[in-house]
Amino acid sequence: MEIIEYLEKNQQIPYKIFENALLGHKFFHAYLLSGSQGTPLLDIAKFLAKSMLCENAHPFACNTCNTCKRIEENIYGDLILIDGKKGSILKDEISTLIDSFSLTASEKKGIKIYIINIVENMNVEATNALLKFLEEPPLDTYAILTTFNKYRILPTILSRCEIINFSLLNQKYLIDESLKLGVAIDDCELLSFFYNDPSYILKISQDEDYLISKNDILELFKNIENKENLRFFIEHNLLPKLKGKETIRYFYDNTIVFFKEALKYKSNKTTILNSYVNILKEIINNVSNLDRSILILINSRNELNFNLNTSLLILESLLETFEVHK
């Protein structure tokens, strides 16, 4: 599903806001796109930027002109993208952005746009630098910020943005629509926790990194009953593969989903993960305190930004989560 279709079909209020702005050529100097995990916020931000700069917009981007193609390839001179998904956003990145946009526009359109993806991942110094830039934006300069949690953003930044909220699609709808696209039911169920668009679920379900990660998590749970085997698997099979904080966060997120669904299944025998009921039962039977384990996993995930020894963090948190004696 193309972004324009996704917006028109599933996000009608943001669609109308964008349409009216584009038709009237009246843009707020800063937009904050706010949605739950899995909403394709970065792709929406890039599509909005394309639509503001497109050579043939009617009123949305054509996606075929030279400008649209260059934006997609991240080689358009007056568009800067800072991606907080890759790690903490530092002051130097914001300073470089400000220096670049203090110069005359390099493209014929004369409009300069910067996108900051997952803006809550800025450190304090970067946040202060951005705030000053938002307070006094240069002429014909526009910001498109994205966030999965607007409550982690300073009120002073929120007050300088037009906030556009994206609704979370129903999981059953996501699963049903993904099934129609040919995605396997077990992938539909698991990915519906992370991606808020059936076309993205299809794309990710075919991704090799996802398939490897899913297999590792399932192998982890298969060893849950034998604590000695479980520890060996974590130390010798799992830890060597968990390199890079984004990969580790994704691992934690998946593990947390299984534990939360296990708790839900234990309480009322219902779950989105119907294809994984046997695993949920194994978790229930082999972990005595699910609430405590979920809290351990969440806290460990949050500590990734501050902990240099990630391998030790993962090992200790998993041993504690699965109640493996040290």
Side-chain angles (χ1 to χ4, degrees), residues 46-255:
K46 291 178 73 172
F47 181 70
L48 177 57
K50 284 182 188 175
S51 299
M52 295 168 69
L53 298 167
C54 178
E55 301 164 20
N56 308 308
H58 294 293
F60 291 98
C62 69
N63 274 329
T64 58
C65 70
N66 183 51
T67 296
C68 285
K69 289 179 180 177
R70 290 168 62 208
I71 291 173
E72 189 62 34
E73 295 169 6
N74 295 321
I75 56 172
Y76 187 82
D78 290 329
L79 176 68
I80 292 178
L81 168 63
I82 298 174
D83 193 355
K85 187 177 181 181
K86 297 178 180 178
S88 296
I89 300 170
L90 306 177
K91 181 183 178 182
D92 286 349
E93 295 176 88
I94 303 300
S95 298
T96 300
L97 163 68
I98 294 170
D99 291 342
S100 298
F101 276 17
S102 66
L103 305 174
T104 304
S106 60
E107 302 284 349
K108 183 179 178 181
K109 191 85 172 182
I111 293 176
K112 293 175 284 187
I113 299 174
Y114 61 96
I115 298 171
I116 302 180
N117 188 41
I118 320 300
V119 70
E120 63 266 32
N121 281 352
M122 289 190 298
N123 66 17
V124 175
E125 293 79 10
T127 300
N128 292 333
L130 177 64
L131 180 58
K132 292 179 182 178
F133 196 50
L134 286 172
E135 287 174 340
E136 299 178 7
L139 185 66
D140 292 325
T141 298
Y142 302 95
I144 306 174
L145 316 177
T146 76
T147 179
F148 289 135
N149 188 351
K150 64 184 176 184
Y151 301 106
R152 287 180 56 196
I153 300 173
L154 287 178
T156 45
I157 287 183
L158 294 176
S159 67
R160 286 162 175 78
C161 299
E162 179 172 357
I163 302 173
I164 301 178
N165 295 302
F166 291 81
S167 58
L168 183 65
L169 303 189
N170 179 273
Q171 270 185 288
K172 187 177 184 307
Y173 167 82
L174 279 173
I175 292 169
D176 290 344
E177 291 299 306
S178 301
L179 280 170
K180 292 176 184 177
L181 295 176
V183 183
I185 183 64
D186 59 327
D187 292 322
C188 290
E189 292 170 358
L190 186 54
L191 291 171
S192 70
F193 286 90
F194 302 101
Y195 298 93
N196 204 223
D197 178 7
S199 63
Y200 276 76
I201 289 177
L202 172 62
K203 179 181 177 181
I204 298 301
S205 71
Q206 300 168 341
D207 181 78
E208 185 177 352
D209 289 339
Y210 159 72
L211 295 171
I212 293 171
S213 176
K214 182 181 77 168
N215 182 68
D216 289 338
I217 289 168
L218 296 182
E219 285 296 319
L220 175 69
F221 289 125
K222 285 178 184 177
N223 286 282
I224 193 172
E225 189 173 357
N226 188 315
K227 303 299 184 183
E228 190 174 325
N229 287 351
L230 180 61
R231 178 169 190 144
F232 182 89
F233 176 81
I234 292 170
E235 291 182 336
H236 298 281
N237 295 75
L238 185 63
L239 284 179
K241 294 182 180 180
L242 294 179
K243 303 298 182 184
K245 289 188 177 179
E246 191 58 35
T247 301
I248 298 169
R249 287 190 188 96
Y250 188 62
F251 165 78
Y252 270 118
D253 288 340
N254 274 278
T255 309

Side-chain angles (χ1 to χ4, degrees), residues 300-316:
S300 297
R301 187 196 188 284
N302 292 337
E303 285 181 28
L304 283 173
N305 289 333
F306 313 103
N307 197 304
L308 296 177
N309 193 337
T310 55
S311 292
L312 183 60
L313 173 68
I314 299 165
L315 176 60
E316 291 186 346

Side-chain angles (χ1 to χ4, degrees), residues 259-316:
F259 269 81
K260 285 184 174 180
E261 287 300 297
L263 183 61
K264 181 180 169 185
Y265 189 79
K266 182 180 180 181
S267 301
N268 55 28
K269 300 300 182 191
T270 62
T271 178
I272 292 292
L273 297 177
N274 289 299
S275 300
Y276 300 98
V277 166
N278 288 338
I279 288 178
L280 301 184
K281 290 178 178 178
E282 286 294 323
I283 295 172
I284 293 166
N285 292 334
N286 291 283
V287 177
S288 62
N289 193 330
L290 293 174
D291 286 315
R292 178 176 174 273
S293 292
I294 292 168
L295 187 60
I296 291 166
L297 291 168
I298 292 173
N299 287 339
S300 297
R301 187 196 188 284
N302 292 337
E303 285 181 28
L304 283 173
N305 289 333
F306 313 103
N307 197 304
L308 296 177
N309 193 337
T310 55
S311 292
L312 183 60
L313 173 68
I314 299 165
L315 176 60
E316 291 186 346

